[in-house]
Amino acid sequence: MKFPHPLALLAGCIVLAAAASYLLPAGRYERLDDPLTGRSVVVAGTYHHVAPAPVTPFQAVVAVPKGMADAGSVIFLVFLVGGAFTVVDKTGALRRATSWLARKLARREILVIPVISLFFAAGGALENMSEEIIALVPVLLLLTGRLGFDPLVAVAMSIGSAAVGAAFSPINPFQVLIAQKLAQLPPLSGAAFRSAVMAVALAVWIGMTMRYAMKMRVAADVAGSVEEPSAASVLGARGVVVLLLVLTAFTLLVYGVMTQGWDFDQLSAMFFVMGVAAGLVGGLGVTGTAAAFAEGFAGMAYAAMLIGFARAIYVVLDQGQVIDTVVHGLFAPIAVLPATLSALAMMVAQAVIHFPVPSVSGQAVLTMPVLTPLSDLIGLPRQVTVLSYQYGAGLADLLTPTNGSLMAVIAAAGVPYEKWLKFAARLFGTLLLVGAVAVVVAIVGGLT
């Protein structure tokens, strides 16, 4: 199946969202500000029909700039991170380090996949890493190209691994922790069980990525002298400092998100400072650093547009007041099912809802207040309800075209969406099965 250009695909989704505002009844849940999470959450049992609000064709077009405005912090992060890493690339430090690594890994290239995959999986598990990956695509393509791997491998071991790590994480503050707060569960409860399931899921994802990489591998250009220079001599003092700045930036990223409550704006500022420092230390000077930033901004424009278009889909559905209708329609029939089937149905429904609601935190505040009292009524442990949300919503990030970060990454990597879908859909099914088994085990074992 041949998919259209990513921008055309997202534009088509906007049209479908507008059509849904004519076909589905408009409805809303009441909402209140929750001091525990600091977010506006729905109130269970308050769904009611409201006056229809069909989105006109012109309003659907206006939703595009509105989507870009709504995603402004994310888009600016993409621009500034892209600019910063273009500066780092212009210093030559990354290219020299990549060439040195390729020579060191000659005939052992496959080892780079689990190492990099685990790095991004940790980012997903710790802070729901996604948008930050977009600007790293050129670096990953440089590495995978030198090692002879298909560009899809760069996508799989970056945003793919991050999505799997986030979906099965015991600590992701934007997913499991916010869902546990809404379900009135202790933070990190069930962490040991989640960690064990995450290990299985990552083993499946990384193993299949390695299998694909070796199947599609081409001869790598890793020519070098017999006596290879050391990393320090290849990089030079300036290059070593530049790479240390990059490492420091990622350390601060984790620290800021986990302990200081940093959001996209703080991360954007941090990467901007990193880029300026790298340019000056790397010998680019003020003018060279500014020029590299400008080049990086230009390179990220397409990815930023994809993020804005993806957000516009949600804007249209929200304006048409049909998102709550979708949630109510999917979850109402679950109340009559046995507890185990209800949990599995919740997981599938969460995956479906993630198409119109691509934010995992937004989906949590939308669905968990509805599902928590429902799970109490049918005798389903609240922890299992959180698991169903995690696995369904989190894994859907691997496929849904409304995930702006995914679309931007595959576009930056030059990987057609249908090629990614062919690779990821089978693994999505396997991982969803892993999640389903985990849910059943949690019910039988009485996970609380």
Short mmCIF file of all heavy atoms in Angstrom, two decimals, residues 43-87:
data_model
loop_
_atom_site.label_atom_id
_atom_site.label_comp_id
_atom_site.label_asym_id
_atom_site.label_seq_id
_atom_site.Cartn_x
_atom_site.Cartn_y
_atom_site.Cartn_z
N VAL A 43 -14.83 14.85 34.89
CA VAL A 43 -15.57 14.36 36.06
C VAL A 43 -16.40 13.17 35.61
O VAL A 43 -17.23 13.29 34.69
CB VAL A 43 -16.48 15.45 36.65
CG1 VAL A 43 -17.26 14.91 37.85
CG2 VAL A 43 -15.65 16.67 37.04
N ALA A 44 -16.16 12.01 36.21
CA ALA A 44 -16.85 10.79 35.81
C ALA A 44 -18.36 10.93 35.96
O ALA A 44 -18.85 11.56 36.91
CB ALA A 44 -16.34 9.61 36.64
N GLY A 45 -19.10 10.37 35.02
CA GLY A 45 -20.55 10.36 35.10
C GLY A 45 -21.22 11.64 34.67
O GLY A 45 -22.44 11.79 34.85
N THR A 46 -20.45 12.56 34.11
CA THR A 46 -21.04 13.86 33.74
C THR A 46 -21.19 14.02 32.23
O THR A 46 -21.46 15.13 31.76
CB THR A 46 -20.18 15.02 34.28
OG1 THR A 46 -18.86 14.95 33.71
CG2 THR A 46 -20.09 14.97 35.79
N TYR A 47 -20.98 12.96 31.46
CA TYR A 47 -21.10 13.10 30.01
C TYR A 47 -22.53 13.50 29.64
O TYR A 47 -23.51 12.94 30.14
CB TYR A 47 -20.74 11.80 29.30
CG TYR A 47 -20.93 11.89 27.80
CD1 TYR A 47 -19.97 12.50 27.00
CD2 TYR A 47 -22.09 11.40 27.20
CE1 TYR A 47 -20.15 12.61 25.62
CE2 TYR A 47 -22.28 11.50 25.83
CZ TYR A 47 -21.30 12.11 25.05
OH TYR A 47 -21.50 12.24 23.70
N HIS A 48 -22.65 14.47 28.76
CA HIS A 48 -23.96 14.92 28.31
C HIS A 48 -23.83 15.46 26.89
O HIS A 48 -22.76 15.91 26.48
CB HIS A 48 -24.51 16.02 29.23
CG HIS A 48 -23.62 17.22 29.32
ND1 HIS A 48 -22.48 17.24 30.11
CD2 HIS A 48 -23.68 18.45 28.71
CE1 HIS A 48 -21.89 18.42 30.01
NE2 HIS A 48 -22.58 19.17 29.16
N HIS A 49 -24.91 15.40 26.17
CA HIS A 49 -24.92 15.93 24.81
C HIS A 49 -24.98 17.46 24.85
O HIS A 49 -25.58 18.06 25.75
CB HIS A 49 -26.11 15.38 24.02
CG HIS A 49 -26.00 13.92 23.72
ND1 HIS A 49 -25.05 13.41 22.85
CD2 HIS A 49 -26.70 12.85 24.19
CE1 HIS A 49 -25.19 12.08 22.78
NE2 HIS A 49 -26.18 11.72 23.59
N VAL A 50 -24.34 18.06 23.89
CA VAL A 50 -24.35 19.51 23.76
C VAL A 50 -24.77 19.87 22.34
O VAL A 50 -24.93 18.99 21.48
CB VAL A 50 -22.96 20.12 24.08
CG1 VAL A 50 -22.56 19.84 25.52
CG2 VAL A 50 -21.90 19.58 23.11
N ALA A 51 -24.93 21.14 22.10
CA ALA A 51 -25.35 21.58 20.77
C ALA A 51 -24.30 21.19 19.74
O ALA A 51 -23.09 21.30 20.00
CB ALA A 51 -25.56 23.09 20.78
N PRO A 52 -24.70 20.73 18.59
CA PRO A 52 -23.73 20.36 17.54
C PRO A 52 -22.81 21.54 17.20
O PRO A 52 -23.24 22.70 17.21
CB PRO A 52 -24.62 19.99 16.35
CG PRO A 52 -25.94 19.63 16.95
CD PRO A 52 -26.11 20.50 18.14
N ALA A 53 -21.57 21.21 16.93
CA ALA A 53 -20.58 22.25 16.58
C ALA A 53 -19.79 21.80 15.37
O ALA A 53 -18.57 21.57 15.45
CB ALA A 53 -19.66 22.52 17.76
N PRO A 54 -20.46 21.62 14.22
CA PRO A 54 -19.73 21.15 13.03
C PRO A 54 -18.65 22.13 12.61
O PRO A 54 -18.83 23.35 12.66
CB PRO A 54 -20.84 21.05 11.97
CG PRO A 54 -21.92 21.96 12.45
CD PRO A 54 -21.88 21.91 13.94
N VAL A 55 -17.51 21.58 12.22
CA VAL A 55 -16.37 22.39 11.82
C VAL A 55 -16.44 22.62 10.32
O VAL A 55 -16.43 21.67 9.53
CB VAL A 55 -15.05 21.68 12.19
CG1 VAL A 55 -13.84 22.50 11.72
CG2 VAL A 55 -14.99 21.45 13.70
N THR A 56 -16.53 23.87 9.93
CA THR A 56 -16.63 24.20 8.51
C THR A 56 -15.28 23.98 7.83
O THR A 56 -14.24 23.92 8.49
CB THR A 56 -17.05 25.66 8.32
OG1 THR A 56 -15.99 26.52 8.81
CG2 THR A 56 -18.34 25.96 9.10
N PRO A 57 -15.29 23.85 6.50
CA PRO A 57 -14.00 23.67 5.81
C PRO A 57 -13.01 24.79 6.11
O PRO A 57 -11.81 24.53 6.29
CB PRO A 57 -14.42 23.67 4.33
CG PRO A 57 -15.81 23.14 4.34
CD PRO A 57 -16.43 23.68 5.59
N PHE A 58 -13.50 26.04 6.18
CA PHE A 58 -12.57 27.13 6.47
C PHE A 58 -12.03 27.03 7.89
O PHE A 58 -10.84 27.28 8.13
CB PHE A 58 -13.26 28.49 6.27
CG PHE A 58 -12.34 29.66 6.47
CD1 PHE A 58 -11.30 29.91 5.58
CD2 PHE A 58 -12.50 30.50 7.57
CE1 PHE A 58 -10.44 30.99 5.77
CE2 PHE A 58 -11.64 31.57 7.77
CZ PHE A 58 -10.62 31.82 6.87
N GLN A 59 -12.86 26.64 8.85
CA GLN A 59 -12.41 26.47 10.23
C GLN A 59 -11.37 25.35 10.31
O GLN A 59 -10.42 25.43 11.11
CB GLN A 59 -13.59 26.16 11.14
CG GLN A 59 -14.50 27.33 11.41
CD GLN A 59 -15.73 26.94 12.22
OE1 GLN A 59 -16.29 25.85 12.03
NE2 GLN A 59 -16.16 27.82 13.11
N ALA A 60 -11.54 24.32 9.49
CA ALA A 60 -10.56 23.23 9.48
C ALA A 60 -9.20 23.72 8.99
O ALA A 60 -8.16 23.32 9.50
CB ALA A 60 -11.05 22.09 8.60
N VAL A 61 -9.22 24.61 8.00
CA VAL A 61 -7.96 25.18 7.51
C VAL A 61 -7.34 26.09 8.57
O VAL A 61 -6.12 26.06 8.81
CB VAL A 61 -8.18 25.95 6.20
CG1 VAL A 61 -6.89 26.62 5.74
CG2 VAL A 61 -8.69 25.01 5.11
N VAL A 62 -8.17 26.87 9.24
CA VAL A 62 -7.68 27.76 10.31
C VAL A 62 -7.08 26.94 11.45
O VAL A 62 -6.20 27.42 12.17
CB VAL A 62 -8.83 28.66 10.82
CG1 VAL A 62 -8.40 29.44 12.06
CG2 VAL A 62 -9.28 29.61 9.72
N ALA A 63 -7.53 25.70 11.61
CA ALA A 63 -7.00 24.85 12.68
C ALA A 63 -5.51 24.57 12.51
O ALA A 63 -4.82 24.25 13.48
CB ALA A 63 -7.77 23.53 12.74
N VAL A 64 -5.00 24.67 11.27
CA VAL A 64 -3.58 24.41 11.05
C VAL A 64 -2.70 25.43 11.78
O VAL A 64 -1.85 25.05 12.58
CB VAL A 64 -3.25 24.35 9.54
CG1 VAL A 64 -1.75 24.22 9.34
CG2 VAL A 64 -3.99 23.19 8.89
N PRO A 65 -2.89 26.75 11.55
CA PRO A 65 -2.09 27.68 12.34
C PRO A 65 -2.40 27.63 13.82
O PRO A 65 -1.52 27.85 14.66
CB PRO A 65 -2.44 29.06 11.74
CG PRO A 65 -3.69 28.86 10.97
CD PRO A 65 -3.67 27.45 10.50
N LYS A 66 -3.66 27.30 14.18
CA LYS A 66 -3.98 27.14 15.59
C LYS A 66 -3.22 25.96 16.20
O LYS A 66 -2.75 26.03 17.33
CB LYS A 66 -5.49 26.93 15.78
CG LYS A 66 -6.31 28.20 15.66
CD LYS A 66 -7.76 27.94 16.04
CE LYS A 66 -8.57 29.24 16.03
NZ LYS A 66 -9.99 29.01 16.43
N GLY A 67 -3.11 24.89 15.43
CA GLY A 67 -2.35 23.73 15.90
C GLY A 67 -0.89 24.07 16.11
O GLY A 67 -0.26 23.64 17.07
N MET A 68 -0.34 24.86 15.20
CA MET A 68 1.05 25.28 15.35
C MET A 68 1.23 26.17 16.59
O MET A 68 2.23 26.06 17.31
CB MET A 68 1.51 26.01 14.10
CG MET A 68 1.61 25.12 12.88
SD MET A 68 2.10 26.00 11.39
CE MET A 68 2.01 24.66 10.20
N ALA A 69 0.25 27.03 16.84
CA ALA A 69 0.32 27.87 18.03
C ALA A 69 0.21 27.02 19.30
O ALA A 69 0.95 27.24 20.27
CB ALA A 69 -0.79 28.92 18.00
N ASP A 70 -0.71 26.05 19.29
CA ASP A 70 -0.86 25.17 20.45
C ASP A 70 0.41 24.37 20.73
O ASP A 70 0.75 24.10 21.88
CB ASP A 70 -2.03 24.21 20.24
CG ASP A 70 -3.37 24.87 20.49
OD1 ASP A 70 -3.38 26.07 20.81
OD2 ASP A 70 -4.41 24.19 20.36
N ALA A 71 1.08 23.97 19.66
CA ALA A 71 2.31 23.18 19.79
C ALA A 71 3.55 24.06 19.75
O ALA A 71 4.64 23.58 19.47
CB ALA A 71 2.37 22.13 18.68
N GLY A 72 3.37 25.35 20.03
CA GLY A 72 4.48 26.29 19.90
C GLY A 72 5.71 25.92 20.70
O GLY A 72 6.84 25.97 20.20
N SER A 73 5.52 25.51 21.96
CA SER A 73 6.68 25.16 22.79
C SER A 73 7.43 23.96 22.22
O SER A 73 8.66 23.93 22.26
CB SER A 73 6.21 24.85 24.22
OG SER A 73 5.73 26.02 24.85
N VAL A 74 6.68 22.99 21.70
CA VAL A 74 7.32 21.82 21.10
C VAL A 74 8.07 22.21 19.83
O VAL A 74 9.21 21.78 19.60
CB VAL A 74 6.26 20.74 20.79
CG1 VAL A 74 6.92 19.54 20.11
CG2 VAL A 74 5.55 20.31 22.05
N ILE A 75 7.44 23.03 19.01
CA ILE A 75 8.06 23.44 17.75
C ILE A 75 9.34 24.24 18.00
O ILE A 75 10.36 24.03 17.34
CB ILE A 75 7.06 24.25 16.90
CG1 ILE A 75 5.94 23.31 16.39
CG2 ILE A 75 7.74 24.94 15.74
CD1 ILE A 75 4.81 24.03 15.69
N PHE A 76 9.30 25.13 18.98
CA PHE A 76 10.50 25.91 19.28
C PHE A 76 11.61 25.02 19.85
O PHE A 76 12.79 25.26 19.60
CB PHE A 76 10.17 27.04 20.25
CG PHE A 76 9.32 28.12 19.63
CD1 PHE A 76 8.22 28.62 20.30
CD2 PHE A 76 9.60 28.61 18.37
CE1 PHE A 76 7.43 29.61 19.72
CE2 PHE A 76 8.82 29.58 17.78
CZ PHE A 76 7.72 30.09 18.46
N LEU A 77 11.22 23.99 20.60
CA LEU A 77 12.22 23.03 21.08
C LEU A 77 12.89 22.35 19.89
O LEU A 77 14.13 22.22 19.86
CB LEU A 77 11.57 21.99 21.99
CG LEU A 77 12.48 20.82 22.43
CD1 LEU A 77 13.59 21.33 23.33
CD2 LEU A 77 11.67 19.73 23.12
N VAL A 78 12.10 21.94 18.92
CA VAL A 78 12.65 21.27 17.74
C VAL A 78 13.60 22.20 17.00
O VAL A 78 14.71 21.81 16.60
CB VAL A 78 11.51 20.80 16.81
CG1 VAL A 78 12.06 20.33 15.47
CG2 VAL A 78 10.71 19.68 17.48
N PHE A 79 13.22 23.45 16.82
CA PHE A 79 14.09 24.41 16.14
C PHE A 79 15.40 24.62 16.89
O PHE A 79 16.49 24.58 16.30
CB PHE A 79 13.36 25.76 15.98
CG PHE A 79 12.48 25.83 14.77
CD1 PHE A 79 11.16 26.21 14.88
CD2 PHE A 79 12.98 25.54 13.50
CE1 PHE A 79 10.33 26.28 13.76
CE2 PHE A 79 12.16 25.61 12.37
CZ PHE A 79 10.84 25.98 12.51
N LEU A 80 15.31 24.85 18.20
CA LEU A 80 16.51 25.18 18.96
C LEU A 80 17.42 23.97 19.15
O LEU A 80 18.64 24.09 19.09
CB LEU A 80 16.12 25.79 20.31
CG LEU A 80 15.57 27.21 20.20
CD1 LEU A 80 14.96 27.66 21.53
CD2 LEU A 80 16.66 28.19 19.77
N VAL A 81 16.82 22.79 19.35
CA VAL A 81 17.65 21.58 19.45
C VAL A 81 18.29 21.28 18.09
O VAL A 81 19.47 20.92 18.01
CB VAL A 81 16.81 20.38 19.94
CG1 VAL A 81 17.65 19.10 19.91
CG2 VAL A 81 16.32 20.61 21.35
N GLY A 82 17.51 21.45 17.02
CA GLY A 82 18.07 21.24 15.69
C GLY A 82 19.20 22.20 15.39
O GLY A 82 20.24 21.82 14.83
N GLY A 83 19.02 23.46 15.76
CA GLY A 83 20.09 24.44 15.57
C GLY A 83 21.32 24.10 16.38
O GLY A 83 22.45 24.18 15.88
N ALA A 84 21.10 23.69 17.64
CA ALA A 84 22.23 23.37 18.51
C ALA A 84 23.05 22.20 17.96
O ALA A 84 24.29 22.23 17.96
CB ALA A 84 21.73 23.05 19.92
N PHE A 85 22.37 21.17 17.47
CA PHE A 85 23.11 20.01 16.98
C PHE A 85 23.72 20.25 15.60
O PHE A 85 24.70 19.60 15.24
CB PHE A 85 22.22 18.76 16.98
CG PHE A 85 22.22 18.07 18.30
CD1 PHE A 85 21.24 18.33 19.24
CD2 PHE A 85 23.23 17.18 18.63
CE1 PHE A 85 21.25 17.71 20.48
CE2 PHE A 85 23.25 16.55 19.87
CZ PHE A 85 22.26 16.82 20.80
N THR A 86 23.17 21.19 14.85
CA THR A 86 23.85 21.59 13.62
C THR A 86 25.17 22.29 13.96
O THR A 86 26.19 22.08 13.29
CB THR A 86 22.95 22.51 12.79
OG1 THR A 86 21.74 21.82 12.46
CG2 THR A 86 23.65 22.93 11.50
N VAL A 87 25.14 23.10 15.01
CA VAL A 87 26.38 23.74 15.47
C VAL A 87 27.40 22.68 15.87
O VAL A 87 28.57 22.73 15.47
CB VAL A 87 26.10 24.69 16.66
CG1 VAL A 87 27.42 25.19 17.26
CG2 VAL A 87 25.25 25.87 16.21
#
